[in-house]
Amino acid sequence: MSKLGQVVEAVEKYNGFVLNQVKRARSDEKFGRELSDRWTEIKSKTPVTHTPTGLPLPRLALPEIDEPGEIARYLFGEGLPGEFPFLNGAYREMYLEPVREIETGSYGKKTSSDGAKEKASGNGVQRLEEPTRLFSGLMLAEDTNERFHYLTQHQRTHRLSTAFDGPTLYGIDSDADGVFGKIGEGGVAIDTVEDMVRLYDGFDLGSPNFSASMTISGPAPIIMAMYIAAAKRRFGPKVVPKLRGTIQADIFKEVQAQNETIFPIEASLRFLTDMVEFTTHEMPRWYPISISGYHIGEAGSTPVQQAAYTLSNGFAYAEMFAARGIPIDQFGPRLSFFLDCGLDVEYIALARVSRRIWAIGMRDAFGAGPRGQLFKLHTQTSGRSLIAAEFKNNLTRTAAELMLAYMNATNSCHSNSADEPFTTPSEEWIRLAAHGQAILLEESGIFKHTMNMLSGSPGMKAVERAVERAVLDEFREIERLGGVLAAVEDRYQRSQIQNAAHRYEEQIYEGTRPIIGLNRYRNGSDDIPEVKLARTPRKKQQLQVDRLAKFKKKNAEKAKRALDKLVDVVERGENCFPTLIEAVEVCSLGQITGRLQEVVGRFRPMV
Amino acid sequence: MAAPIRILTAVPICDGHDSAINTINLEFIRHGIEVIYLGYHRSVGDIVRAAIQEDVRAIGISSYNGGHVEFFAEVLSQLRKRGANYIKVFGGGGGTITHDDAVAMKRKGVDTIFFAGTSLMEMTDYVRKHYGKPRKRTAAKLSDMELARKLTEIEEAYAKGKRRPAKQIRNPQSAIRNSNVIGFTGPGGAGKTTLIDELVLRFLSHDPKGRIAILSHDPSVIGEGALLGDRATMINSQDDRVFMRSMATRGQAGGLSPATHDCLALLAQSNFDYVIIETVGTGQEAMPFQQNGIVDETVLVMNPDYGSRLQLQKIVMLDLADIVVVNKSDLQRARTAHTEIEQRLGQNRRGQRLIDTVAKRHRDPGVDQLFALIAGNLSRRVGMTADLSC
Ligand code: B12
């Protein structure tokens, strides 16, 4: 049985354990009393807060139960926020306003626990800044750099999220055949370490208030190596352990949904593991992978498929990293997740269930400690649910999705702009999207007074049970196919996603899936926003090509030697990441990709 | 009955947004259209070459990552340059292609752009209406183009009810034969396509001037469309020195199309060093090249998971193939499979060769061995080496 099979067993066993605890609480008087006492204590220690109108409310909402069996079901089956199995939240507090006065008790008081630290590192909401992580990337490195400075000018903490252009995402250079027009489009063009130096110029990369996020997967190890090399150039080698940030680096979801794999799957996974091994040892504050369901969802999967494939991918990575000999308690806490949130009813509980399955699987099938059990989640509202027809309705769609995301206690969230279907979002609509979050979290009272405010309704519980069952069924199917890697190579996830996507479109055009303004209540006049295309001028594209030529010429001799050395290490099967950091000093992204492809081959796309 | 409409679909270079095109492909197929799908992240050159070789009526491009005005224009310009502007271009890209862009693109020769919110039915109707009729075209400029058109004529003749001539061409050494023909068959999922693409890679680097033709098959039922998707995965075969043609079986059982024989004969007479023919995944009783008469060397590609030894007895091709390949020989059952098949071939006493490969592995030594064997066998049989034909 693969690890995934063990996860299925662990969850089933845990569910059995919960039922047993319920029975025991009812039959074993002493145990029942202990639980009742604990329940009373939790309630009495819950601080009381006051709404602006003066209404007192507990800071933690709990169900009205006093029967020991039900208490057991709650405490073991769901857990309080921040407690195993984390159904209600990975942390306490989350979106709550800071406690002004504590009237009674201590549960929910902010502590300097691990959780609070994690929050400061990027998960969770900080009031000192706009609630969104600002995704940005355009034209050349210096243009993006300028934009980064503009976006962060009033912020104390600098959390930069970097989007790359097409050639970079595919690991090729700006001088490659047929890509000239794509340079700097949709993201920033990065060919060399010199571009990387320019990209973050002026930011203190080693500061605890700085973190960089890089949305790239196929060539992630090479780009990561460039980031480290650039940091060393600017701050010396001592900066490396201080670097904080995230790189997406999720290969499985690339093969399943996003289509930016550049090496054969096994080679891609090996380079990834090399990088993860390096960062867990040398860069303890770095998140070397963001296990992403977002792209799976956006490619058209059902919500259940999204959760099932993301979680199973996560378990497969954990298995792989453990097999490399990286201790689970070292890499476990460095894994983070990224999910999509759309309008289907499953999203009422999708992330909640995911968090629970992850915690149980990591604890019981992998033996991870508490920090490695946490499903740290970034959510993005669904881009695909946003449509061109009567596009202003997209504001409402995103608002509803945000509500669902926060009901699922996501640690951070990105809200899409209403002009998403057309082009890189414009400032006007970005602002509205960001303010949507502020309205929900800060202006409205829904989330700021009480933890767990909307958790646990009968409907939500029904969705939880149905989703969990369906996710475990998917796990069993993947297990039958021989595990995640075998299923991926078999096109299993891809074909499931494609069928779901086709069904979705069919439903729209049959009219069985109502889309307001498209197949219902259509007024016929499509008001399309003034689309201001942020196009990269030819002159800039040429500049990028010229710079690259200069770099290649300057380093021609050294590049040859560096590449030979890299190939040597790769062929010997050693961890090639340290050599990669040396190589990027004198080689471009495309040179490295090309040479590695000669050794390990190119990715063979799947239909 | 009229032959199904053949179109090519693809997503531009540096773009992996394939969800829309996958859905559209499925929809087209359901409505009787044959779609040759080239995949995502594809260059203009790959698209134009494939469109000419496959002799499609039109190219459908799905573009999301920007630069569509230039990309579509470049496709049209390269088609024109090759005298292939009888191939039409259409496409979509959701909301990323604005109405203004679409006007500019149409001015440059794009037939139409489907905006976000277009129903799937509308697109199929459009294709059937606009690309359903045969086109008038001027004389072919390039030899590949001429060949491609002749293949279309053959396919269309069979669709209209032509029957296979009773007399077979069977004369490997005759003057009209210029190419070595190698047939690949085997059950679905054995990895034939990947194996062939790996052989192509070796051939192209082994013989810097040589040319190769591939006739690949995918299943289809009469009156329905087909997804011909081999090009998307055959990355090494998208090359000017490779002429590739994808065919649907159009209701014929046994792994090939009614028109295959004539098409293969035509390719064999053309100046290729090798002609490779790949059947669809076949069943145990299949012997696709038996009545064919043109194939010089047959390769049966097996998966180690064929089941029990008893199953092996039923596979007819094991008696007929010149070479048997156990692909995916990294799988657990591979060693057992090798032994069992070896015994089975031993009974035949025909000197058939058995080779283990892992085609998905880069530079797999098994594939090297297979390549050497095929090249050697053929040069012996036809009495010439690969270099002699040009
Ligand atoms: C789904 C999606 C993704 C998925 C793609 C999954 C996949 N495998 O396809 C994921 C999450 C992976 C993704 C990633 C990225 N994306 Co994206 N994505 C989208 C999204 C949300 C929907 C597109 C879609 O598939 N719609 C569903 C289809 C069925 O409907 P439709 O688009 O309305 O199309 C209709 C017609 O136009 C027609 N049609 C379309 N094509 C064709 C072709 C033919 C031949 C025909 C006949 C008809 C036709 O059919 C449809 C039905 O009516 C759009 C925004 C949006 N809401 O539209 C952004 C969008 C396209 N993405 C964008 C970007 C920038 C990216 C990234 C580059 C981000 C980054 N820097 O990392 C990456 C690159 C990925 C890559 N490999 O190239 C931008 C493009 C910006 C621009 N051009 O200016 C958009 C517009 C979002 C935005 N505003 O920023 N994306």
Side-chain angles (χ1 to χ4, degrees), chain B residues 279-348:
Chain B
T279 70
V280 303
T282 49
Q284 293 167 337
E285 291 89 29
M287 25 185 205
F289 308 126
Q290 216 34 34
Q291 306 133 31
N292 204 290
I294 313 178
V295 175
D296 299 308
E297 184 91 5
T298 52
V299 183
L300 171 66
V301 186
M302 307 252 312
N303 192 322
D305 291 327
Y306 48 77
S308 69
R309 195 186 283 252
L310 206 68
Q311 298 302 319
L312 222 45
Q313 292 306 328
K314 300 183 194 157
I315 301 175
V316 182
M317 270 308 290
L318 277 172
D319 298 326
L320 306 173
D322 300 304
I323 301 171
V324 177
V325 173
V326 180
N327 190 29
K328 307 194 177 178
S329 64
D330 55 336
L331 293 185
Q332 266 175 6
R333 221 185 152 272
R335 196 176 281 192
T336 317
H338 184 98
T339 315
E340 289 179 358
I341 295 172
E342 198 167 46
Q343 281 171 1
R344 169 82 161 72
L345 296 181
Q347 299 162 10
N348 294 343

Side-chain angles (χ1 to χ4, degrees), chain B residues 115-135:
Chain B
F115 296 108
T118 318
S119 79
L120 300 174
M121 206 54 221
E122 247 172 89
M123 301 176 207
T124 6
D125 286 348
Y126 181 92
V127 168
R128 282 203 291 215
K129 184 155 168 251
H130 288 83
Y131 308 130
K133 289 183 207 79
R135 318 144 275 193

